[in-house]
Amino acid sequence: MSDYSCDALIIGSGQAGNPLATALAEAGRRVILVEEAHLGGSCLNYGCVPTKTLLASATRAHEIRQAAQLGIDSASAPRVDMPAVVGRKDELLTKSRRNLAEELGSSHPNITLLRGHARFEAARRVRVQAGEHGETHQVTAHEIFINVGTHATTPDIPGLAEAGFLTTTSLLDIQEVPEHLLIIGGGYIGLEFGQMFRRFGSQVTIIETGDQVLEHEDDDVCKVLQNLLTEKAGIEFLLEAQTHHVSRNAAGQYTLSVKTKAGERRLHGSHLLVATGRTPNTDNLGLEKTKIKLDDKGYIQVNARLQTSVRGVYALGDVHGGPQFTHISYDDFRVVRDNLLHRGHRSAKQRPLPYCVFTDPQLGRIGLSESQAKEKGVPYRVACLDVKRIARAQHTGQRDGFWKVLVGDDDRILGAAILSPEGGEVMTMLQLAMMGRLRYQQLENMVIAHPAWAEGLNVLWKDLK
């Protein structure tokens, strides 16, 4: 067994841990970074990078099918080669992992990378085990940063474990187009994978326990998005539906028994994806040997500076709960970096929480939703714009969706939901306006290049009272 001591021990090579290791090393601190699996965390390995790479292939197949609407005669329907689609994704991941390993290794002599599972033996002492019979290291650190992320939640459904199922990680490596993909879970992950595989050629059914998809969004946004995915994409939705049994026959076909408001349904499919949320990776960290506090779901409790209940121990990224997005994890790094290295007073609370659901059209969200404004008693007005009224939409034929922006009594923007082509980019423009405390009239009268999508910012406010 090898013994190490360091200034900073970072457990987990995710979107917060990697840049923090580099920043601390460049500041002269001795850093040990522990990673049990692939470098890069969820975003690189089974989140944004691989899913959006596959989405690009699905989008291209869809565009080819729709080419005739723009006067382009495609000789035949596209043939989806799933091994080639997955191979393109794998090639990108291999390159990204190699570049990251080089960056964290040879480029920074103050960083030592240890491979294995980390488990606390005391508040500042961790044992790292490389596999079941691999080398063991004991690390003592002045400060410890936990960045271990989450894993897919397995719901307690009779027969599910015995039948087997796909997770959002395993589905990324599938070598065939499913004939009929059943998806349990109507959150953003279920919607993105549902539309993706519908465009690859699968029949898709999404089962959701709530009364709408995307449970935290306004009703009108969810209704329009669901209708588009049903009418334009051909996805079947079962809402307020409870899966109470799963079975699989000898031929590999699934049968789901589902309770709905209309009665019992039996669904049959070739593949089953479970996308019902995430669970923090805290159950095997040895936290019981420390005084680190967890909430009732197993997430590590932190304060505004991301400090745990143990002095000198921090939690970054998805493992402390809250919105689970790459950009939020990266901002956790900035909070810790500025407070530790720059004597800052940066807080992880009350920060903007932009995000984008990468369906087509995209849903970009920032600030207050209408339901949140009502709940908080914040006065507001609503400006809405159908995408089809934007010149760019008419030129491209991408006419689906609408923009919805909340404006306060002072004429400043409170929040926005942009269900639109380039919805994430338009949302970010509104976020910049919010950061600059611009009034909506300044956007209404701004000179915007024609015919960009952003030109909708000139006409969005027309019916605002």
Side-chain angles (χ1 to χ4, degrees):
M1 182 172 68
S2 303
D3 290 337
Y4 291 90
S5 63
C6 60
D7 299 308
L9 169 63
I10 301 174
I11 305 173
S13 168
Q15 294 303 305
N18 292 336
L20 182 61
T22 300
L24 293 176
E26 290 178 347
R29 302 194 184 189
R30 293 170 298 132
V31 178
I32 291 179
L33 177 63
V34 177
E35 177 53 58
E36 183 175 14
H38 291 297
L39 292 173
S42 61
C43 178
L44 174 58
N45 293 292
Y46 54 86
C48 305
V49 174
T51 58
K52 276 49 180 181
T53 302
L54 296 186
L55 273 172
S57 296
T59 299
R60 192 62 54 85
H62 173 72
E63 290 172 345
I64 294 172
R65 294 189 189 100
Q66 299 297 310
Q69 296 180 10
L70 300 181
I72 306 300
D73 182 15
S74 53
S76 61
R79 184 183 67 84
V80 176
D81 182 347
M82 280 308 294
V85 169
V86 172
R88 174 177 173 267
K89 177 264 298 181
D90 289 341
E91 184 178 352
L92 177 60
L93 292 192
T94 298
K95 181 179 179 180
S96 298
R97 290 167 181 162
R98 182 173 60 248
N99 291 342
L100 183 56
E102 293 174 355
E103 179 183 344
L104 293 173
S106 58
S107 300
H108 295 282
N110 283 346
I111 299 176
T112 299
L113 177 62
L114 297 181
R115 296 285 193 167
H117 177 74
R119 186 176 177 85
F120 280 85
E121 294 189 327
R124 304 293 177 82
R125 189 173 72 251
V126 171
R127 179 184 294 265
V128 179
Q129 177 74 45
E132 185 176 355
H133 305 293
E135 189 176 3
T136 301
H137 310 284
Q138 185 167 276
V139 182
T140 303
H142 178 66
E143 292 176 314
I144 298 179
F145 305 88
I146 304 172
N147 183 217
V148 295
T150 61
H151 62 274
T153 299
T154 301
D156 186 17
I157 301 174
L160 179 63
E162 295 79 6
F165 57 92
L166 292 164
T167 66
T168 53
T169 301
S170 58
L171 186 55
L172 294 171
D173 295 323
I174 195 168
Q175 295 296 302
E176 72 279 350
V177 175
E179 179 183 348
H180 187 176
L181 177 62
L182 304 172
I183 301 177
I184 300 178
Y188 76 92
I189 293 176
L191 297 187
E192 288 184 0
F193 274 93
Q195 188 178 45
M196 177 200 303
F197 277 91
R198 183 71 186 118
R199 288 181 166 183
F200 281 143
S202 302
Q203 182 181 347
V204 175
T205 301
I206 295 178
I207 306 108
E208 168 58 38
T209 57
D211 60 359
Q212 65 179 36
V213 298
L214 300 177
E215 58 178 337
H216 298 300
E217 298 297 334
D218 288 335
D219 293 349
D220 53 353
V221 175
C222 295
K223 183 178 180 179
V224 171
L225 178 56
Q226 182 187 330
N227 287 343
L228 288 174
L229 292 176
T230 300
E231 297 169 6
K232 295 292 182 71
I235 296 174
E236 179 187 17
F237 286 90
L238 273 67
L239 301 182
E240 297 183 87
Q242 187 69 48
T243 304
H244 62 86
H245 191 267
V246 176
S247 63
R248 193 179 186 188
N249 64 21
Q253 294 292 307
Y254 288 90
T255 298
L256 273 60
S257 299
V258 181
K259 294 179 181 177
T260 74
K261 292 181 68 175
E264 183 82 6
R265 287 280 304 272
R266 290 175 69 82
L267 304 177
H268 304 283
S270 60
H271 295 73
L272 173 62
L273 168 65
V274 174
T276 54
R278 309 289 297 178
T279 298
N281 293 324
T282 54
D283 58 336
N284 195 28
L285 278 179
L287 296 181
E288 67 278 1
K289 295 185 178 181
T290 73
K291 294 183 179 180
I292 296 174
K293 294 181 180 179
L294 307 177
D295 67 12
D296 58 355
K297 295 183 179 180
Y299 290 99
I300 297 175
Q301 296 183 340
V302 295
N303 62 17
R305 297 169 68 90
L306 301 175
Q307 297 165 314
T308 71
S309 52
V310 173
R311 185 178 178 85
V313 180
Y314 299 74
L316 299 86
D318 298 349
V319 76
H320 65 66
Q324 297 183 4
F325 298 111
T326 295
H327 46 281
I328 299 300
S329 295
Y330 188 78
D331 193 61
D332 281 358
F333 146 68
R334 289 185 291 220
V335 169
V336 172
R337 175 201 62 191
D338 290 356
N339 292 338
L340 288 180
L341 300 181
H342 304 153
R343 297 187 179 183
H345 299 282
R346 193 161 182 159
S347 172
K349 308 297 183 183
Q350 303 303 316
R351 57 186 171 184
L353 298 174
Y355 60 89
C356 187
V357 180
F358 285 90
T359 49
D360 180 11
Q362 296 174 8
L363 172 60
R365 277 279 290 112
I366 182 63
L368 290 179
S369 67
E370 187 172 5
S371 57
Q372 289 170 334
K374 290 179 179 178
E375 182 181 335
K376 296 176 182 292
V378 177
Y380 69 91
R381 293 164 289 164
V382 178
C384 284
L385 173 68
D386 286 336
V387 165
K388 62 186 178 183
R389 290 175 55 192
I390 302 171
R392 186 67 176 168
Q394 298 165 20
H395 303 159
T396 63
Q398 298 171 286
R399 301 164 61 90
D400 295 327
F402 74 112
W403 298 8
K404 178 181 179 180
V405 180
L406 271 62
V407 176
D409 283 346
D410 61 357
D411 290 342
R412 292 184 171 93
I413 299 167
L414 298 173
I418 307 299
L419 181 60
S420 166
E422 305 299 342
E425 310 299 334
V426 176
M427 174 271 292
T428 303
M429 297 177 201
L430 290 164
Q431 182 182 356
L432 288 169
M434 293 168 68
M435 291 180 66
R437 294 188 54 77
L438 301 182
R439 288 182 168 84
Y440 80 86
Q441 294 93 339
Q442 293 171 271
L443 301 178
E444 185 177 31
N445 296 305
M446 182 170 62
V447 178
I448 300 175
H450 174 78
W453 284 108
E455 199 174 23
L457 295 174
N458 282 160
V459 297
L460 170 64
W461 326 99
K462 182 178 179 181
D463 298 323
L464 185 67
K465 298 179 181 180

